[in-house]
Amino acid sequence: MDFSSKLLENAVNEVSQLPGIGKRTALRLVLHLLKQPASQTAHLSQALLQMRNEINYCQHCHNISDTSICEICASPKRNERLICVVEDVRDVMAIENTGQFKGVYHVLGGKISPLEGIGPHNLHINTLVEKVSQGKADELIFALSSTMEGDTTNFYIFKQIEPYGITTSTIARGIAVGDELEYADEVTLGRSIVNRIPFENSLKNNY
Amino acid sequence: MDFSSKLLENAVNEVSQLPGIGKRTALRLVLHLLKQPASQTAHLSQALLQMRNEINYCQHCHNISDTSICEICASPKRNERLICVVEDVRDVMAIENTGQFKGVYHVLGGKISPLEGIGPHNLHINTLVEKVSQGKADELIFALSSTMEGDTTNFYIFKQIEPYGITTSTIARGIAVGDELEYADEVTLGRSIVNRIPFENSLKNNY
């Protein structure tokens, strides 16, 4: 693209560094900002800068938090011995939205991925193993995505905590509530049959 | 969405004000910035702020420019009496990319759109009529999009400059080069037959 202004070109280049945003989309966003009052751009820049420079992470679970211990870890209503292992803050938000989980989280910050150069030492695995080795956990629930990287990460952590003999589980994979069987993929349908649950248990679920 | 941090929530809210960016996408972008070095966020904020506060517009054609007269208007190689009327800087970039136009531009800054509250006085129409009335133009080429708003804007300008009797034209609408006739919409195909050109003329086009 041939820009008529260096200022415009510079802004478009910076915006198009964001994932999933190409030059054309970046130009559209930047031209939108030019049509809006300058205060909108000021607020946006300020919010991004402030977030990046002042953000904190919970010392217990590594989730993004404005306080040194996050609300979930600090709550007396949560069972801190039941730990759900997740990839990032989006997973915490998704599970919290269900209102079904009364334990605490441990945010790894990613998954083991040799292709992207992410090894176990780039993730918050040591502090998790520490909690288990100090007898601070009864059960770990693995809630990583069921991809090669997710499975690898689960297995790596499992091997580290195996000696301490605590309960481990993974979230159930199966047909989504309300979905038709005929449209489900084979792997999911297969797993949902192998990992079937007693019918009485299914009655306890609230829709 | 329930955020664990006000800083995060604030950043997501600001980003999701951009057109076509919802809360989920905004969260993904913001989390990406958190994983990158703080310098990237600093560069991004700086580039947006600087662009918004320091951007200039060409005094002749109203295109975005770092100088008071843009490169195109200042160039002795361009015919300043042949004026192409466009909506915004993206159209200028698109036409410049073709390398086929040797005149200058007039950037309106939008189209007349009563629904969005944009009237003739919100656009740079007066300065265009002025150029024509002062005898500074031989031909106007209308290159607005062929929508209701584009056609209205063309017609409004045409009525204003009609008394001065200069040549006016619109860019050709028709089947795109390389496209199959059977997939073209009826309106476009119809127009391309009505506005057919002498075969000898088509031979002059360079592919």
Side-chain angles (χ1 to χ4, degrees), chain B residues 62-151:
Chain B
H62 309 293
N63 192 15
I64 293 170
S65 165
D66 291 340
T67 47
S68 60
I69 308 289
C70 77
E71 270 183 43
I72 295 172
C73 288
S75 166
K77 291 184 186 158
R78 312 291 293 233
N79 176 2
E80 60 180 14
R81 302 186 62 82
L82 175 62
I83 301 175
C84 183
V85 181
V86 295
E87 189 184 334
D88 70 15
V89 59
R90 280 174 289 187
D91 305 319
V92 174
M93 288 165 65
I95 297 176
E96 281 301 287
N97 269 340
T98 69
Q100 297 280 334
F101 182 60
K102 297 301 172 204
V104 297
Y105 298 91
H106 187 93
V107 178
L108 295 177
K111 289 171 292 192
I112 295 174
S113 170
L115 278 179
E116 294 173 43
I118 302 172
H121 298 290
N122 301 113
L123 305 175
H124 297 296
I125 292 181
N126 285 343
T127 49
L128 178 62
V129 175
E130 224 166 68
K131 281 181 202 169
V132 175
S133 70
Q134 292 170 355
K136 291 181 179 169
D138 291 332
E139 179 177 349
L140 286 198
I141 305 174
F142 292 114
L144 301 185
S145 56
S146 59
T147 57
M148 174 82 94
E149 287 89 2
D151 290 345

Side-chain angles (χ1 to χ4, degrees), chain A residues 4 6 36 52 64 66, chain B residues 4-6 36 52 64 66:
Chain A
S4 59
K6 281 279 165 211
Q36 301 298 313
R52 187 61 186 83
I64 292 170
D66 290 341
Chain B
S4 58
S5 152
K6 280 279 165 212
Q36 301 297 314
R52 187 63 187 80
I64 293 170
D66 291 340

Side-chain angles (χ1 to χ4, degrees), chain A residues 1-206:
Chain A
M1 278 202 248
D2 234 16
F3 289 94
S4 59
S5 150
K6 281 279 165 211
L7 290 169
L8 182 68
E9 183 171 10
N10 192 19
V12 168
N13 283 343
E14 287 294 336
V15 173
S16 65
Q17 303 235 339
L18 294 170
I21 301 211
K23 291 257 168 153
R24 266 166 199 271
T25 307
L27 180 57
R28 187 167 56 80
L29 298 179
V30 160
L31 290 180
H32 171 82
L33 286 177
L34 279 179
K35 284 197 179 180
Q36 301 298 313
S39 61
Q40 185 176 337
T41 308
H43 288 317
L44 173 63
S45 302
Q46 175 68 17
L48 290 178
L49 270 181
Q50 202 177 356
M51 177 208 65
R52 187 61 186 83
N53 296 331
E54 298 178 17
I55 204 109
N56 271 310
Y57 296 89
C58 172
Q59 288 171 8
H60 285 186
C61 72
H62 308 294
N63 193 15
I64 292 170
S65 166
D66 290 341
T67 47
S68 61
I69 308 290
C70 76
E71 270 183 43
I72 296 173
C73 288
S75 166
K77 290 183 187 159
R78 311 291 293 232
N79 177 2
E80 59 179 15
R81 302 186 62 80
L82 175 62
I83 301 174
C84 183
V85 181
V86 295
E87 191 184 332
D88 70 16
V89 60
R90 279 174 289 186
D91 305 319
V92 174
M93 287 164 68
I95 297 176
E96 282 301 288
N97 269 342
T98 69
Q100 296 280 335
F101 182 61
K102 296 301 171 203
V104 296
Y105 297 91
H106 187 94
V107 178
L108 294 177
K111 291 172 291 192
I112 296 173
S113 170
L115 278 179
E116 294 174 43
I118 301 173
H121 299 290
N122 301 111
L123 305 175
H124 296 297
I125 292 181
N126 285 343
T127 49
L128 178 62
V129 176
E130 224 166 66
K131 281 180 201 168
V132 175
S133 70
Q134 293 170 354
K136 291 180 179 168
D138 291 332
E139 179 176 350
L140 287 197
I141 305 173
F142 292 113
L144 302 185
S145 56
S146 60
T147 56
M148 174 82 93
E149 287 87 2
D151 291 345
T152 305
T153 311
N154 286 343
F155 191 70
Y156 180 89
I157 297 173
F158 178 73
K159 276 294 173 194
Q160 304 263 311
I161 60 160
E162 208 177 6
Y164 306 105
I166 67 164
T167 309
T168 52
S169 56
T170 69
I171 56 170
R173 308 284 175 183
I175 309 296
V177 177
D179 264 13
E180 304 280 355
L181 290 206
E182 56 182 322
Y183 299 122
D185 69 286
E186 295 158 29
V187 178
T188 303
L189 187 54
R191 279 210 204 180
S192 77
I193 289 175
V194 173
N195 302 320
R196 62 194 177 275
I197 59 163
F199 183 67
E200 310 91 77
N201 291 8
S202 74
L203 298 177
K204 291 176 202 157
N205 294 328
N206 40 7

